Amino acid sequence: MDEVRATSAWVASRSSHVTVDSSGIEKVVSKIESIPKVEWDFEGIHYFDNGPLTVQYLFVLDALNFCFWPG
C-alpha cells in the first residue's frame, strides 16, 4: 500500500485539474466495515492466477480498451 500512496501523492502533487479531498476519503473509509472477496467468473476467457499477474492483466486489458478511443 505504501507504493500506491507514494505514486498517488506524486500524481496529486503535479496535477492542476484534480484534487484529493482527504476528508471525503476518510468519510468513505469510516463507512467500510469490511472488503468483500469478489469471485470473478472468468469462465476461462480471461487470465486468472489469483495474484499480481491477474492485476497486471487487468491493467493491460483496460489500456487496450481505452487506447482505441479518439482523443
Side-chain angles (χ1 to χ4, degrees):
M1 284 303 284
D2 290 334
E3 291 177 9
V4 172
R5 288 186 184 107
T7 55
S8 299
W10 183 88
V11 170
S13 70
R14 288 162 177 76
S15 27
S16 58
H17 300 290
V18 177
T19 59
V20 175
D21 180 0
S22 297
S23 64
I25 293 173
E26 290 176 16
K27 287 178 189 175
V28 170
V29 169
S30 69
K31 292 180 182 180
I32 297 174
E33 294 178 13
S34 66
I35 299 173
K37 181 177 181 186
V38 176
E39 295 294 331
W40 186 26
D41 184 15
F42 57 96
E43 299 178 351
I45 297 170
H46 298 289
Y47 178 81
F48 181 76
D49 75 344
N50 202 29
L53 289 179
T54 301
V55 176
Q56 290 177 2
Y57 169 80
L58 290 173
F59 283 137
V60 170
L61 192 63
D62 273 350
L64 290 172
N65 180 35
F66 290 107
C67 75
F68 297 107
W69 290 24

